[in-house]
Amino acid sequence: MNNFHGHPTRRLATDFLTLDYLIDAGPRLVRLSLIGSDVNLLGETPEVGWETPSGYYHLLGGHRLWASPEEPGVTYAPDDSGLTVREIPSGVELAWEPKTGEGGIAKFIRIEPENDRAAVRFIHRITNRFAYPVTFAPWAITVLPLGGIAYLPCPPVGEDFQPDRALVIWPYVRWNDPRLGLHEAGLTVKGAAAMPPIKVGAFSASGWTAYEREGVLLFKCFEPLVGEYSDKGCNVEIYCSDKVLELETLAPAMYLRPGESTEFS
């Protein structure tokens, strides 16, 4: 395949995986498949988008990088153009810059598939292209198809009578949503269509979240860094709509002067 719903792509391949990424928009990893299978483990949303102050934003699906906290004028900046692709020995680097003169948050993803197992390493970077300081965090979002179960591990870490965990929910979430499961070691969200959508989050020191669907368990590992987080302290968030489920991981928010960057893997 050399396109994704009309967008041109290129492919990385190992003995375990094939990975397709966009070369004209994003940055986006849009297909991830096990060798010998044509099933895309990532969610596809070519029909989803919305109007923004800077034009129409196409969600597209796959794995993307946003900036947190969620600010429509910054987070949803249309990224259908402005991408630079640089192939490197270990993979590929995808860099997106805001339009000259407008300012914004530049996005960078390095994709490095591992050669000895079915695994991919990502490095995410955001850079302040405004003419003034801002405070943002890298926000790595992996879109997945419905039909599975998402895991957010958050086991006990304290002792005695002091609180050691917090569950964050969004205003449209109902406590009795049948997709939400609370367990001793964390929580689960079923990837099933229902209205309204559901979104939950927490700070997890475990360093992973996961999604199990049709016999495949996809782990998303990250470094649980110490710092100030958006969304009431979440470093992992799970969102499910009537179309997709998202595994979202975040780094602490950083004060960035013009030209400064912050990374997250």
Side-chain angles (χ1 to χ4, degrees), residues 14 47 80 86 105 113 123 132 134 147 154 188 199 207 238 257 259 262:
T14 70
E47 75 287 358
D80 290 337
R86 178 172 176 260
I105 297 295
I123 295 177
Y132 47 84
V134 296
C154 199
T188 57
K199 185 168 184 177
I238 298 174
R257 296 179 177 84
T262 181

Side-chain angles (χ1 to χ4, degrees), residues 1-263:
M1 299 178 183
N2 58 4
N3 77 87
F4 178 81
H5 300 282
H7 289 272
T9 63
R10 290 180 191 160
R11 173 165 290 184
L12 297 171
T14 70
D15 291 340
F16 303 93
L17 297 170
T18 59
L19 308 91
D20 292 359
Y21 56 90
L22 299 185
I23 59 174
D24 68 339
R28 296 280 200 294
L29 175 67
V30 291
R31 287 194 185 95
L32 175 65
S33 300
L34 296 171
I35 286 293
S37 171
D38 59 359
V39 174
N40 186 6
L41 300 178
L42 303 178
E44 302 184 17
T45 58
E47 75 287 358
V48 178
W50 53 85
E51 290 292 343
T52 79
S54 301
Y56 194 82
Y57 182 84
H58 294 92
L59 195 63
L60 297 178
H63 180 82
R64 69 183 186 273
L65 174 61
W66 270 1
S68 178
E70 198 163 358
E71 293 187 10
V74 177
T75 307
Y76 307 153
D79 56 10
D80 290 337
S81 61
L83 187 75
T84 299
V85 177
R86 178 172 176 260
E87 297 179 358
I88 58 176
S90 58
V92 67
E93 294 180 342
L94 308 175
W96 178 84
E97 289 286 338
K99 292 181 180 178
T100 302
E102 292 187 3
I105 297 295
K107 299 178 290 185
F108 169 94
I109 300 178
R110 180 183 298 156
I111 304 173
E112 297 177 308
E114 298 188 14
N115 293 320
D116 58 351
R117 59 177 181 155
V120 184
R121 175 177 169 80
F122 293 88
I123 295 177
H124 307 90
R125 180 190 307 148
I126 60 172
T127 303
N128 179 16
R129 297 299 189 211
F130 288 107
Y132 47 84
V134 296
T135 300
F136 279 103
W139 182 8
I141 303 176
T142 306
V143 179
L144 299 158
L146 298 180
I149 298 177
Y151 299 90
L152 197 169
C154 199
V157 295
E159 298 178 354
D160 301 322
F161 304 107
Q162 298 303 313
D164 64 350
R165 289 161 291 171
L167 171 64
V168 178
I169 66 171
W170 271 249
Y172 45 80
V173 177
R174 298 169 296 181
W175 286 108
N176 62 345
D177 193 306
R179 293 168 293 182
L180 177 62
L182 301 179
H183 310 276
E184 180 179 354
L187 60 90
T188 57
V189 176
K190 292 181 180 178
M195 292 299 291
I198 182 173
K199 185 168 184 177
V200 296
F203 182 88
S204 175
S206 299
W208 64 270
T209 182
Y211 190 60
E212 183 179 11
R213 179 178 180 270
E214 297 182 352
V216 177
L217 182 60
L218 187 151
F219 276 94
K220 184 175 182 181
C221 302
F222 62 96
E223 185 176 359
L225 302 170
V226 175
E228 295 293 328
Y229 284 84
S230 306
D231 298 340
K232 298 185 181 296
C234 294
N235 67 350
V236 180
E237 298 169 359
I238 298 174
Y239 171 79
C240 183
S241 70
D242 61 344
K243 298 183 183 298
V244 294
L245 182 139
E246 294 182 344
L247 297 182
E248 309 178 2
T249 53
L250 302 98
M254 299 293 292
Y255 179 84
L256 302 174
R257 296 179 177 84
E260 288 187 334
S261 304
T262 181
E263 286 191 355

